Amino acid sequence: MSYADFQARIARINDVLCTLNLLAWDSRTMMPPGGVDARAEQVATLTMLAREMATSDAMAAALNAAQDEVGDGDDLPARAVALARREIRTLARIPADVIAEKAALSSRAHSIWVAARAANDFSAYAPVLERMMALQRRIAGAIGGDHPYDAMVGQFEPGMTHARLQAIYAELKAALVPLIQRAADAPQPRHDFMARDFPIPAQKAFGLKVAEKMGYDMNRGRLDDTAHPFEISFTRDDVRITSRFRESWLPGGTFALWHEAGHGMYEQNVAPEHARTIFATDLVNLYAVGGASFGMHEAQSRMWENRVGRSRRFWALHFDDLRAQFPDQLADVSQDEFWRAVNRVRPDYIRVEADELTYDMHIILRSEIEADLIDGTIDVADLPQVWNGKMRETLGIDVPDDTRGVLQDVHWSHGYVGSFPTYTLGNVMSSQLFAAACRRSGVSEGLEAGDYRPLFEDMRANVWSHGRSSTPEETLTRATGRGLDTAPYIADLTAKVEDLTA
Ligand code: ZN
């Protein structure tokens, strides 16, 4: 009875958070600009309601009674109680006024960011970002840690710290910088055809057909347009994805669609018994989500996008299908040319359009800037200058304007400070997941034949179904037999550059 009471309370919080997700989906796809202020208040009200429910005396009593009932073991009920207790303790440390202001601010900041980016006007965004960073510093102080960035990263990737990140970044930089150089020095592949006129309905039809082959279930999903692609779920039975298609740039929308479909498959395949439990409810971020962490979510999406979607064998299987959609546009393009074009390595300004080799450099830059903003080494006002300097230093390019520089990402406007590292952690783990899956029976044979079911089932069994009942570290160890390791990722990228420059 006590455990059931605890579960019922978590289920109601999950309902509130799923409703918040629906409001977030709406505001990023359908909402007219005029709806912004009222929506900000609605989001703040529901967020505070969820926080009150989680930190109430009644919840504390329910937790204690549930713990008495289930004990301290390692079975799922005991894990559920321990996880909820841990997250509620963290949540309770963050002052209520900070959470309320952050929720309201992030709704408003989003539209201010959209306008500032369109107008290339950093000064219009700076005040709201200044306020957001002040709130983030209070959150970091309340949660604690060796470095203030520990609290920021730990919200998205439990167990990750500033110090561990520094070590991972150092390994990656040492391996990637010479690889980028090598790819940049090689003759550049043809890519003129990517910018031809590709009608969007045909792009969507092709992309969705492949996403469904991978295993994204359109009965429990849908695809919409947005400015900044994302996936969001309102329980496992309604998991929506978005993408941003451009007529004159074929790979942009298509690869983003497969990436988001990867996130979608994760949420759709969390075990049904975890629905509306703590294993599908993140009480630190007050976010309804079933993934073990942001990094693990990213890992398997990156796997579908890059390890599967950018492989030579993938295009051997799907290029004819693509050319059937675009017979004129691709008439003079071979399968090999197409594979080379979707893997073209070129230092550029925009993170979301970056190739696999340079992508992590964009993340490392953001992560270093965030850590310096949080510990006060730099001010918001310095951002454009710091950003442009780092771009020159790491990728050797001059940023032409803030729209294509410091204003390009949505994350800070949402208060997602500390989430960028999860992209690089995801990249690293994507190779670990893929290599381990390919060693198990049937997966490689399936990929060879265009049958994605064995890889899908492998992910379902080892990653997705467990939801948040395992930590990211436990999930990775279950799926791969070991903890975080940059070697498989570096090996994959090295092999790719060798293949591309051979
Ligand atoms: Zn992602």
Side-chain angles (χ1 to χ4, degrees), residues 229-231 259-260 263 294 297-299 301-302 305 359 423:
F230 64 97
E231 169 275 331
H259 179 93
E260 300 308 333
H263 287 306
F294 281 62
H297 232 301
E298 196 59 20
S301 274
R302 284 284 177 177
E305 177 190 0
Y359 190 90
Y423 293 111

Side-chain angles (χ1 to χ4, degrees), residues 185-196:
D185 290 346
Q188 291 300 297
R190 231 194 115 187
H191 64 277
D192 56 297
F193 48 85
M194 288 299 195
R196 288 173 184 167

Side-chain angles (χ1 to χ4, degrees), residues 40-291:
E41 282 165 4
Q42 292 153 3
V43 166
T45 297
L46 284 183
T47 303
M48 291 316 289
L49 177 63
R51 184 187 185 274
E52 283 165 28
M53 291 164 85
T55 57
S56 67
D57 293 343
M59 176 60 99
L63 265 172
N64 287 336
Q67 178 144 23
D68 287 345
E69 188 181 321
V70 302
D72 293 324
D74 196 38
D75 55 1
L76 286 178
R79 275 184 167 242
V81 172
L83 177 60
R85 190 182 286 286
R86 207 162 53 237
E87 295 199 336
I88 289 170
R89 199 179 298 137
T90 303
L91 178 66
R93 281 200 197 123
I94 307 170
D97 66 299
V98 172
I99 294 183
E101 191 182 341
K102 187 182 145 196
L105 187 67
S106 64
S107 270
R108 226 173 28 247
H110 179 78
S111 49
I112 293 173
W113 165 74
V114 170
R117 185 173 77 151
N120 183 35
D121 183 5
F122 180 75
S123 67
Y125 181 48
V128 75
L129 187 56
E130 193 85 67
R131 188 68 208 136
M132 183 61 85
M133 288 300 165
L135 293 174
Q136 298 292 333
R137 276 192 284 271
R138 283 184 67 193
I139 293 172
I143 295 178
D146 288 339
H147 187 281
Y149 198 48
D150 290 357
M152 301 284 94
V153 184
Q155 295 175 90
F156 303 101
E157 202 62 20
M160 188 48 62
T161 62
H162 181 57
R164 281 187 78 191
L165 282 175
Q166 298 307 105
I168 293 163
Y169 292 163
E171 286 177 25
L172 291 178
K173 276 186 190 172
L176 296 186
V177 169
L179 279 179
I180 293 169
Q181 196 57 49
R182 194 170 144 196
D185 290 346
Q188 291 300 297
R190 231 194 115 187
H191 64 277
D192 56 297
F193 48 85
M194 288 299 195
R196 288 173 184 167
D197 197 20
F198 296 94
I200 288 172
Q203 289 191 42
K204 282 188 184 173
F206 170 75
L208 263 183
K209 192 174 150 195
V210 175
E212 288 191 83
K213 252 178 109 59
M214 289 170 172
Y216 178 65
D217 179 0
M218 282 296 281
N219 262 329
R220 300 184 289 138
R222 61 176 276 139
L223 170 68
D224 291 275
D225 297 310
T226 190
H228 210 96
F230 64 97
E231 169 275 331
I232 201 158
S233 68
F234 329 130
T235 84
R236 69 192 296 281
D237 293 323
D238 185 349
V239 179
R240 304 193 187 180
I241 59 174
T242 60
S243 193
R244 175 177 57 186
F245 293 92
R246 276 193 281 146
E247 293 227 329
S248 58
W249 187 240
L250 178 61
T254 311
F255 280 95
L257 194 168
W258 296 332
H259 179 93
E260 300 308 333
H263 287 306
M265 286 188 275
Y266 201 152
E267 294 298 317
Q268 287 181 332
N269 292 287
V270 172
E273 59 268 29
H274 294 333
R276 298 175 81 232
T277 74
I278 189 69
F279 299 141
T281 311
D282 175 345
L283 289 182
V284 174
N285 291 296
L286 292 172
Y287 182 44
V289 67

Side-chain angles (χ1 to χ4, degrees), residues 181-459:
Q181 196 57 49
R182 194 170 144 196
D185 290 346
Q188 291 300 297
R190 231 194 115 187
H191 64 277
D192 56 297
F193 48 85
M194 288 299 195
R196 288 173 184 167
D197 197 20
F198 296 94
I200 288 172
Q203 289 191 42
K204 282 188 184 173
F206 170 75
L208 263 183
K209 192 174 150 195
V210 175
E212 288 191 83
K213 252 178 109 59
M214 289 170 172
Y216 178 65
D217 179 0
M218 282 296 281
N219 262 329
R220 300 184 289 138
R222 61 176 276 139
L223 170 68
D224 291 275
D225 297 310
T226 190
H228 210 96
F230 64 97
E231 169 275 331
I232 201 158
S233 68
F234 329 130
T235 84
R236 69 192 296 281
D237 293 323
D238 185 349
V239 179
R240 304 193 187 180
I241 59 174
T242 60
S243 193
R244 175 177 57 186
F245 293 92
R246 276 193 281 146
E247 293 227 329
S248 58
W249 187 240
L250 178 61
T254 311
F255 280 95
L257 194 168
W258 296 332
H259 179 93
E260 300 308 333
H263 287 306
M265 286 188 275
Y266 201 152
E267 294 298 317
Q268 287 181 332
N269 292 287
V270 172
E273 59 268 29
H274 294 333
R276 298 175 81 232
T277 74
I278 189 69
F279 299 141
T281 311
D282 175 345
L283 289 182
V284 174
N285 291 296
L286 292 172
Y287 182 44
V289 67
S293 68
F294 281 62
M296 186 54 66
H297 232 301
E298 196 59 20
Q300 51 82 50
S301 274
R302 284 284 177 177
M303 186 197 74
W304 289 106
E305 177 190 0
N306 289 332
R307 299 277 70 76
V308 176
R310 285 192 162 86
S311 68
R312 213 189 249 280
R313 72 180 153 194
F314 179 88
W315 289 105
L317 291 158
H318 297 289
F319 184 67
D320 286 348
D321 235 17
L322 180 69
R323 195 154 49 184
Q325 291 282 1
F326 303 110
D328 300 334
Q329 297 90 327
L330 297 175
D332 62 340
V333 182
S334 73
Q335 178 193 305
D336 183 68
E337 284 175 319
F338 193 83
W339 168 75
R340 286 176 187 281
V342 299
N343 283 290
R344 186 168 72 116
V345 178
R346 196 175 65 116
D348 209 343
Y349 323 111
I350 306 292
R351 174 184 63 85
V352 296
E353 289 172 9
D355 58 80
E356 273 193 90
L357 267 292
T358 56
Y359 190 90
D360 295 302
M361 297 298 140
H362 291 269
I363 296 303
I364 293 170
L365 170 152
R366 286 156 176 74
S367 181
E368 288 173 351
I369 287 177
E370 286 184 337
D372 287 349
L373 275 172
I374 289 298
D375 76 8
T377 308
I378 56 173
D379 293 323
V380 165
D382 306 329
L383 273 181
Q385 189 201 339
V386 172
W387 184 285
N388 297 348
K390 277 182 181 285
M391 281 297 282
R392 201 170 305 122
E393 184 189 307
T394 54
L395 289 174
I397 52 178
D398 288 314
V399 175
D401 50 47
D402 291 336
T403 297
R404 284 174 281 182
V406 67
L407 284 173
Q408 68 183 268
D409 286 309
V410 69
H411 300 62
W412 293 338
S413 74
H414 285 180
Y416 276 16
V417 178
S419 73
F420 281 121
T422 66
Y423 293 111
T424 282
L425 297 170
N427 282 337
V428 168
M429 293 191 285
S430 75
S431 284
Q432 291 187 263
L433 291 179
F434 190 65
C438 287
R439 283 195 295 271
R440 288 188 278 268
S441 114
V443 173
S444 287
E445 295 83 343
L447 292 171
E448 220 45 76
D451 174 9
Y452 300 109
R453 202 77 210 171
L455 181 58
F456 176 98
E457 290 299 345
D458 193 275
M459 285 299 117

